[in-house]
Amino acid sequence: MFRAVARIFRTPDLRRKIAFTLGIIAIFRLGSFIPAPFVDFGNVQLCLAGNAGASGLYELVNLFSGGALLQLSIFALGIMPYITASIITQLLRVVIPHFDTLYKEGQAGQAKLTQYTRYLTIALGVLQSTTLITVARSGALFNNSGVAQCSQLITDDAWYAILLMVITMTAGTGLIMWLGELITERGIGNGMSLLIFTSIAATFPSSLWLIQQTNGWEVFFMVIGIGVIIMGLVVFVEQSQRRIPVQYAKRMVGRRTFGGNNTYIPIKVNMAGVVPVIFASSLLYLPALVAQFNQPADGGVAPEWVVWITNNFQSGDNPLYMAVYFLLIVGFTYFYVAITFNPEEVADNMKKYGGFIPGIRAGRPTAEYLDYVLTRVTLPGSLYLGLVALIPLIALATVGANANFPFGGASILIIVGVGLETVKQIDSQLQQRHYEGLLR
């Protein structure tokens, strides 16, 4: 293992790619601490020192930005607009036939879809930066801080100041998108995923240190031990797959024989990735947002439905919130898998190239068999996603950890997934040069 790591740094091309990737990551992290124009840096630091945290959907955005959201930095939005734009573009393939046609056109069509995703990212960046600035001006960005300065984060409320802040944060999102593409082209690959990995990993030390300060060293080491076990289980499930064998019949074209080989269709237990967790978190934030806008301005008595939503959906440690969150993740998992994996399309492609599943007729019976297997494999995958997503909420209710508890939810899924993919990328590049990979 150590010899393989040494080979990485002895290979000039690979060493240069890793150094370039680390340099881009350093620039990305530096931008997370540079405040946007007209932001009172001192008041922001006072609110952060008071252990104030974002609430609702902003917890997820703050996690994906590596804490830059609460810093109100030029990279405050992080990579979240790009993630949202990518998901929307993928879902629009079902609704807009032109998008589906572009996807099937190969590299040229997918390049066009990527361009649409970039445009949508900028539009979402304008929308999200405007919302963030509005929330910061109202003093609601930091939840339950008890610090008076949290309502005085912006030094100038003039329209030109707000416009400059929106332009700066949106430009920061565009720059992050460009940095991710640079890593993909000139670095070790998976640029956007590596930036998300960096953002989430940057929050680990502060989250763990907060647990130590709140509960002592015994709970701290217990959390570390549980985290190692959870990480091992997540790696096991993420690598698990149901392999459906496929055989291709031999074909004679002139004097040459094609086909006749055996392969398989890998159906992962977790085909949906972290998307259902993002969907469920965003949807559950809407009731709290509606209730927040219906609070009486003069301090009067709020309507009963507002009080009920505030009591049940404002905090993640509520049992009803956990139950609804779990059920939404299970439902969104089936929904997303049904969109991204089309059994009929796979069956048609197999039939087109002379492939068949042993014991199953080509065509419609193959599609029905694939749908049968996919439905049953998705069930444990959806339950697994729901349980992993509940880990931060359970930790919040038991040891008093913050909602960005590192060993659970979207954070652990992304950390493990990107880590495994990055290791595979480095391993494949080592095999190209030394005929021996990083892992044996």
Side-chain angles (χ1 to χ4, degrees):
M1 175 67 180
F2 293 104
R3 288 199 302 269
V5 174
R7 279 199 304 273
I8 293 176
F9 294 98
R10 284 200 302 264
T11 306
D13 186 33
L14 193 54
R15 183 175 65 241
R16 187 166 54 250
K17 287 184 176 181
I18 292 178
F20 179 82
T21 301
L22 292 177
I24 295 295
I25 289 175
I27 295 173
F28 172 64
R29 289 304 302 157
L30 177 63
S32 300
F33 296 97
I34 300 175
F38 303 104
V39 171
D40 193 322
F41 184 76
N43 287 350
V44 170
Q45 297 306 310
L46 282 175
C47 295
L48 291 173
N51 292 329
S55 60
L57 182 61
Y58 288 106
E59 293 173 356
L60 190 65
V61 180
N62 188 55
L63 175 67
F64 282 5
S65 66
L69 175 82
L70 295 185
Q71 298 274 357
L72 290 176
S73 69
I74 58 175
F75 288 170
L77 302 180
I79 204 70
M80 196 65 182
Y82 182 82
I83 297 173
T84 308
S86 300
I87 294 173
I88 292 174
T89 305
Q90 196 169 14
L91 294 178
L92 286 178
R93 284 173 43 204
V94 183
V95 181
I96 304 177
H98 177 64
F99 279 30
D100 192 47
T101 304
L102 287 175
Y103 179 78
K104 294 177 180 178
E105 283 182 359
Q107 186 175 359
Q110 292 182 11
K112 195 71 174 178
L113 283 178
T114 302
Q115 195 68 17
Y116 289 155
T117 304
R118 292 170 183 162
Y119 295 147
L120 185 57
T121 300
I122 298 301
L124 290 175
V126 173
L127 178 63
Q128 292 184 15
S129 59
T130 305
T131 306
L132 174 60
I133 294 168
T134 303
V135 173
R137 290 174 63 193
S138 67
L141 179 61
F142 292 92
N143 187 32
N144 299 325
S145 61
V147 181
Q149 287 82 355
C150 291
S151 59
Q152 303 169 4
L153 301 178
I154 298 176
T155 59
D156 194 345
D157 284 344
W159 66 268
Y160 59 86
I162 304 301
L163 179 62
L164 183 59
M165 292 180 67
V166 170
I167 293 174
T168 302
M169 291 184 179
T170 306
T173 298
L175 181 59
I176 292 173
M177 186 167 53
W178 180 62
L179 292 177
E181 292 178 355
L182 281 180
I183 295 177
T184 302
E185 294 174 3
R186 302 182 184 179
I188 57 177
N190 298 324
M192 297 299 181
S193 300
L194 276 175
L195 293 183
I196 299 173
F197 177 94
T198 304
S199 299
I200 295 175
T203 63
F204 269 49
S206 60
S207 299
L208 290 174
W209 185 245
L210 180 61
I211 293 174
Q212 190 279 328
Q213 287 183 321
T214 308
N215 301 280
W217 288 105
E218 292 183 0
V219 176
F220 174 79
F221 287 114
M222 183 186 70
V223 168
I224 293 292
I226 294 174
V228 172
I229 296 173
I230 292 173
M231 195 169 295
L233 293 175
V234 170
V235 170
F236 175 76
V237 177
E238 290 294 324
Q239 295 290 85
S240 301
Q241 56 183 222
R242 168 74 157 85
R243 296 182 175 181
I244 300 178
V246 178
Q247 294 181 359
Y248 285 90
K250 292 183 179 180
R251 294 179 300 159
M252 293 294 296
V253 180
R255 295 184 178 181
R256 302 182 63 183
T257 303
F258 293 90
N261 59 331
N262 298 329
T263 184
Y264 60 87
I265 300 174
I267 297 181
K268 294 181 63 177
V269 174
N270 180 24
M271 289 191 66
V274 74
V275 174
V277 180
I278 298 175
F279 279 176
S281 301
S282 304
L283 191 62
L284 271 182
Y285 175 62
L286 293 179
L289 182 65
V290 173
Q292 182 179 353
F293 282 114
N294 284 274
Q295 294 284 354
D298 55 354
V301 180
E304 292 185 4
W305 66 272
V306 174
V307 175
W308 186 84
I309 289 177
T310 304
N311 293 335
N312 293 281
F313 289 94
Q314 192 75 30
S315 177
D317 55 358
N318 187 280
L320 179 60
Y321 182 96
M322 293 184 183
V324 175
Y325 189 41
F326 180 83
L327 293 175
L328 281 176
I329 290 175
V330 173
F332 278 130
T333 303
Y334 274 95
F335 170 73
Y336 190 73
V337 169
I339 289 177
T340 55
F341 187 91
N342 189 349
E344 294 183 0
E345 183 179 346
V346 175
D348 290 341
N349 289 334
M350 288 172 53
K351 185 177 180 180
K352 180 179 178 181
Y353 294 104
F356 63 94
I357 300 174
I360 307 295
R361 284 187 174 184
R364 185 172 183 81
T366 298
E368 293 175 352
Y369 177 76
L370 290 174
D371 183 65
Y372 172 85
V373 173
L374 184 66
T375 302
R376 278 147 186 80
V377 171
T378 303
L379 177 61
S382 63
L383 297 178
Y384 149 79
L385 274 181
L387 292 175
V388 171
L390 286 180
I391 291 174
L393 304 183
I394 296 172
L396 180 66
T398 53
V399 300
N402 64 345
N404 294 334
F405 183 73
F407 299 112
S411 59
I412 196 69
L413 293 171
I414 293 174
I415 286 287
V416 171
V418 176
L420 291 173
E421 189 63 31
T422 303
V423 169
K424 290 178 182 177
Q425 289 274 356
I426 297 176
D427 184 67
S428 64
Q429 295 192 33
L430 273 179
Q431 287 181 351
Q432 290 177 3
R433 295 166 175 83
H434 297 282
Y435 301 103
E436 187 176 349
L438 182 65
L439 302 176
R440 295 184 180 179

